[in-house]
Every structure is written in structure tokens, then in C-alpha cells.
Amino acid sequence: MSDADKLIKLIHRTFNIYGLSITRKLSTIISKHLLNNPKTNAEEWLTKIVEQILTQNLNTPHITLDHIKIALQETVKPESHLQNTETVFNVINAFKVPKIVYDLNKKKYVMKEKCQELFPDAKFKSQVFKDRLDLLWYRTLKHAIFAPSKFGKVDEKKLELVPIEYLLSESKTNNVCVMGLLAQLTEGMYYLEDYGGAVKVNLKNAISFCHK
């Protein structure tokens, strides 16, 4: 596989992670820029490109040439003044904010139509937490430390992300991580729960990563 093909594959993977769709022709344009700048960190630079594209108020997940041109201009030659696609103040319609969900069949994030009712059914109250957990779960699985090892290779540094019910069984718990929602199921007692179960947790030595 040539360097250009490797870059195109990396470009598609990066855009797919953010739920965006890009054609091979547009990927080739981006890859040529990277090939002309070999000292550039491809992954970091692509992340900046995608983040810039996401600020362009996209109507669909399909990327066009105009989106790429603006992103390249902003990333390569950032300017202090506002561009044509930027505004000082944006008013966002709550009913038109795009909702991104993970499609198990397509193995990628896709846009989903939102319920347009002001007072929807009660099921949506719990659905919002389920969707959040799904987004975090599948995004975390894409991290290198949780990615499965290549066939025939054993990497002791790899970790496995497992459901909480795994901890409730008699299986080994070495090198595994769990993810869930923190809930107070009983007064004064906190639990970590997901779809399959809940486990009581002690938060005395918990570390917070929130920055004030």
C-alpha cells in the first residue's frame, strides 16, 4: 500500500469517527497537502481540519469541496478577522440541532432525526442517557488501548472494555475496564450501571477530571 493510499485510509477513518462522509476525490486533495508537508503530524492536523469543518454549520454529514477549501484556509493560514462562514453570535434552534448516534450495522456514527415534539413521550427521558452512554462507549472502543490486537500478536498493554455484568460473574477481572452511568439507586449509596446490571462503588478515593 502506497503512502497516498495509507493517508486516504486515515482520512476516511478520521472523518467517520466524527460521523462525516467524504469522497475519495476529496480525500486525495487532503492527502496531497499532507504529502507536500511531510513534517506535519497527520492525525493531529486531520483532527484540526475536521473540527474546523464542524464549525461550518453543516446541513448534512456529506463533505463538499467548499468545506475542504475553507478548512484548509483556516488551518493553514489562520486569520484574526471573521470569515464569511463565521458570525459573532449564533442562535441555534433546539429542534434543529443534529443528533448523532452510533449505528451498529454500519459501524459508524450517523445523523438521526430528532423528535420534534415539545413534550415527547416519557421514554425519551431515559433514552437521552442511553444515547449518551452509547456515544461514549463506542468512541472509547476506537481508542488504541482498547483496539483488539492484530491476529497472532499478544499485547499485554491492551485493555478490554467490558459490560458491568462481567464483574458480577466469576470471570477474571485483570486488565479490564467498565463504563457506565453513576446513579444513586438507594439513599447514600452510589452504583455504576449500564444495560446489563449495576455494581456498588466506593467514591472515597475517586478522582475527578473536571476542570473548573
Side-chain angles (χ1 to χ4, degrees), residues 64-80:
T64 65
L65 180 59
D66 291 336
H67 296 142
I68 298 298
K69 287 182 178 179
I70 294 173
L72 288 174
Q73 181 181 1
E74 293 293 323
T75 306
V76 178
K77 297 180 180 179
E79 299 179 5
S80 59

Side-chain angles (χ1 to χ4, degrees), residues 59-119:
N59 293 323
T60 69
H62 300 286
I63 304 304
T64 65
L65 180 59
D66 291 336
H67 296 142
I68 298 298
K69 287 182 178 179
I70 294 173
L72 288 174
Q73 181 181 1
E74 293 293 323
T75 306
V76 178
K77 297 180 180 179
E79 299 179 5
S80 59
H81 61 276
L82 294 176
Q83 302 297 314
N84 294 331
T85 58
E86 297 177 317
T87 57
V88 176
F89 183 75
N90 283 334
V91 177
I92 301 175
N93 187 333
F95 293 106
K96 294 183 179 180
V97 176
K99 182 178 181 180
I100 300 176
V101 296
Y102 188 83
D103 192 313
L104 288 173
N105 296 323
K106 297 180 180 179
K107 301 295 183 182
K108 66 177 183 179
Y109 295 99
V110 297
M111 296 289 188
K112 180 181 179 181
E113 293 186 3
K114 296 179 61 177
C115 177
Q116 300 296 329
E117 298 179 11
L118 185 59
F119 300 103

Side-chain angles (χ1 to χ4, degrees), residues 5-212:
D5 290 334
K6 291 180 180 179
L7 283 175
I8 290 175
K9 187 176 181 180
L10 175 62
I11 292 167
H12 276 277
R13 184 168 67 248
T14 303
F15 275 72
N16 286 338
I17 289 176
Y18 288 85
L20 301 176
S21 177
I22 185 171
T23 63
R24 184 176 181 83
K25 183 178 180 180
L26 296 179
S27 298
T28 303
I29 295 175
I30 298 176
S31 65
K32 287 181 179 179
H33 180 85
L34 286 171
L35 290 173
N36 292 332
N37 297 273
K39 294 183 179 180
T40 302
N41 186 308
E43 293 186 4
E44 292 182 1
W45 188 81
L46 284 173
T47 300
K48 292 180 180 179
I49 289 291
V50 173
E51 289 177 348
Q52 205 293 320
I53 290 176
L54 291 174
T55 65
Q56 298 180 27
N57 300 326
L58 303 178
N59 293 323
T60 69
H62 300 286
I63 304 304
T64 65
L65 180 59
D66 291 336
H67 296 142
I68 298 298
K69 287 182 178 179
I70 294 173
L72 288 174
Q73 181 181 1
E74 293 293 323
T75 306
V76 178
K77 297 180 180 179
E79 299 179 5
S80 59
H81 61 276
L82 294 176
Q83 302 297 314
N84 294 331
T85 58
E86 297 177 317
T87 57
V88 176
F89 183 75
N90 283 334
V91 177
I92 301 175
N93 187 333
F95 293 106
K96 294 183 179 180
V97 176
K99 182 178 181 180
I100 300 176
V101 296
Y102 188 83
D103 192 313
L104 288 173
N105 296 323
K106 297 180 180 179
K107 301 295 183 182
K108 66 177 183 179
Y109 295 99
V110 297
M111 296 289 188
K112 180 181 179 181
E113 293 186 3
K114 296 179 61 177
C115 177
Q116 300 296 329
E117 298 179 11
L118 185 59
F119 300 103
D121 296 336
K123 65 179 182 180
F124 290 101
K125 185 175 182 179
S126 59
Q127 184 69 29
V128 64
F129 295 104
K130 177 182 180 299
D131 291 341
R132 287 179 183 176
L133 181 58
D134 283 342
L135 283 173
L136 292 173
W137 179 275
Y138 292 108
R139 182 70 184 274
T140 304
L141 284 178
K142 291 180 179 292
H143 193 281
I145 198 171
F146 294 106
S149 302
K150 294 183 179 179
F151 182 76
K153 293 185 178 181
V154 178
D155 190 347
E156 296 181 353
K157 296 182 180 180
K158 292 284 187 180
L159 297 176
E160 184 180 2
L161 187 62
V162 299
I164 290 177
E165 63 181 5
Y166 188 95
L167 301 179
L168 304 177
S169 66
E170 297 181 356
S171 303
K172 295 181 180 179
T173 56
N174 294 331
N175 297 330
V176 298
C177 295
V178 294
M179 177 186 293
L181 299 176
L182 196 62
Q184 192 174 12
L185 301 182
T186 58
E187 186 175 357
M189 300 293 181
Y190 288 92
Y191 293 79
L192 192 68
E193 64 173 345
D194 61 8
Y195 310 134
V199 61
K200 186 178 177 181
V201 292
N202 187 343
L203 300 179
K204 289 184 178 180
N205 298 319
I207 300 175
S208 174
F209 293 95
C210 297
H211 298 281
K212 295 182 179 180

